[in-house]
Amino acid sequence: MPLDAERSRIWEALGIGPQWIERGAEDPLLPSGTRASAAPVSAPAPAPAPVPPRPAPFRSPEPSGRAQPAAAAAVAAPQARQAAAPAPAPAASGPSAHEKTLAIFEGIGSATWEELARRVPLCEACGLAKTRIRTVFADGAPGCPLVMVGEAPGAEEDMQGKPFVGKSGQLLTHALEAVGIERGRDAAIVNVLKCRPPHNRDPEPGEVTLCRHFLDRQLELLAPKALVLMGRPAASTVLGTDLSIARLRGVVHEVEIGGRRVPAIVTYHPSYLLRSLTEKEKFWHDLLAAKRLLAAA
Ligand code: SF4
């Protein structure tokens, strides 16, 4: 059976190109009446990820001791920042690194979206602060019904300060457009880590433990109707499991966010799709599943 025009357009957007394939029963873009029921939602869901305790309340150091323009902190290259950094001060004259870390996360559970966005560029809680160019906060804001979670910024994201703007980001944008989801309006995109790991290595557990304070509050404020977890680091962080993507795909998980049970699906990270073209079809099916979750929410 030949592809209809709509599906052919979607396949082309994914870079697969026009093909002769059978129409899947789960295509929600089909006219109503021809659409099959939703994919199985009774997931053998792993237990929801335990939310790590937020840092204990901390008595803030004097604001003047850590004041730093957010924009300047965001754009300064590491070398420039090191060159401009003042000589280490005596311990008694300023907050220690530990105190600054506690201050960044203090009261984060009540921070607004805007306040969170101001805090992230000031964060030096883990070693990635020394090698990043810019922090990467989010694309989108509260009000986006779908939230997509990735792993960490790459080189292009580190340069621009925005998530998913490199090649994998372009693939993601085209795939979302192909299923009628607009980035920043219908879908917000965040990463587990806000700073790029050197050479795009995997996030280390200690980095995730610290940075997920930001992620947890982002998810609370975004209050999504559905989640898409892209890649194993995002899935393992949010779902609290070490299962592979292959084991986690194809079912709907549940994540507790702000006291609500939010449906979540797991899919491949777009950068993996750049290396494994045959998995693009699965990615496309996962985006359609996310769209069904939104429609059912
Ligand atoms: S990765 Fe997260 S915890 Fe580490 S410095 Fe960047 S913002 Fe802070």
Side-chain angles (χ1 to χ4, degrees):
M1 177 184 297
L3 287 173
D4 63 87
E6 175 71 0
R7 197 166 184 188
S8 178
R9 181 175 64 78
I10 292 170
W11 278 69
E12 286 198 58
L14 287 170
I16 298 172
Q19 296 182 33
W20 289 74
I21 59 171
E22 292 211 344
R23 179 184 299 280
E26 68 280 27
D27 185 350
L29 298 178
L30 289 174
S32 58
T34 62
R35 186 179 308 164
S37 59
V41 297
S42 55
V51 178
R54 290 191 166 114
F58 158 75
R59 189 177 180 82
S60 296
E62 290 300 317
S64 59
R66 55 188 171 88
Q68 181 184 10
V75 301
Q79 299 85 345
R81 283 187 284 104
Q82 287 169 6
S93 66
S96 67
H98 179 64
E99 288 173 327
K100 286 195 285 186
T101 295
L102 291 177
I104 280 291
F105 295 130
E106 182 188 15
I108 198 169
S110 57
T112 65
W113 183 257
E114 292 74 19
E115 185 181 346
L116 212 55
R118 285 193 296 271
R119 286 193 194 200
V120 166
L122 301 174
C123 181
E124 298 179 355
C126 79
L128 299 183
K130 293 183 173 66
T131 53
R132 74 186 180 212
I133 297 175
R134 295 188 184 203
T135 55
V136 177
F137 183 65
D139 184 15
C144 295
L146 182 67
V147 171
M148 309 187 75
V149 183
E151 175 181 329
E156 196 63 36
E157 290 77 14
D158 192 33
M159 293 286 291
Q160 297 190 34
K162 295 179 182 176
F164 287 92
V165 291
K167 283 185 178 177
S168 62
Q170 291 167 13
L171 187 152
L172 175 62
T173 301
H174 291 153
L176 288 172
E177 288 173 350
V179 297
I181 296 176
E182 183 179 327
R183 279 183 64 153
R185 186 196 67 180
D186 306 316
I189 303 175
V190 298
N191 280 313
V192 172
L193 296 186
K194 312 307 178 197
C195 303
R196 181 194 181 201
H199 310 294
N200 295 344
R201 64 158 169 75
D202 288 344
E204 294 179 350
E207 295 160 354
V208 172
T209 298
L210 287 166
C211 210
R212 74 168 297 170
H213 289 270
F214 291 128
L215 176 65
D216 288 344
R217 185 56 184 160
Q218 281 182 311
L219 294 180
E220 289 173 359
L221 291 165
L222 288 165
K225 293 180 179 175
L227 278 175
V228 175
L229 308 174
M230 300 181 289
R232 191 167 180 175
S236 65
T237 298
V238 176
L239 298 178
T241 176
D242 288 329
L243 292 177
S244 67
I245 296 295
R247 296 281 303 277
L248 294 170
R249 275 193 69 253
V251 294
V252 178
H253 306 269
E254 280 193 336
V255 179
E256 185 172 333
I257 299 175
R260 290 187 308 118
R261 309 292 294 181
V262 178
I265 64 169
V266 173
T267 190
Y268 298 103
H269 192 280
S271 63
Y272 174 69
L273 301 177
L274 294 173
R275 305 188 301 271
S276 181
L277 300 181
T278 55
E279 307 292 20
K280 282 186 176 179
E281 182 185 2
K282 295 177 183 175
F283 186 68
W284 176 67
H285 281 290
D286 293 338
L287 292 184
L288 292 176
K291 201 172 176 183
R292 281 195 297 271
L293 290 179
L294 289 182

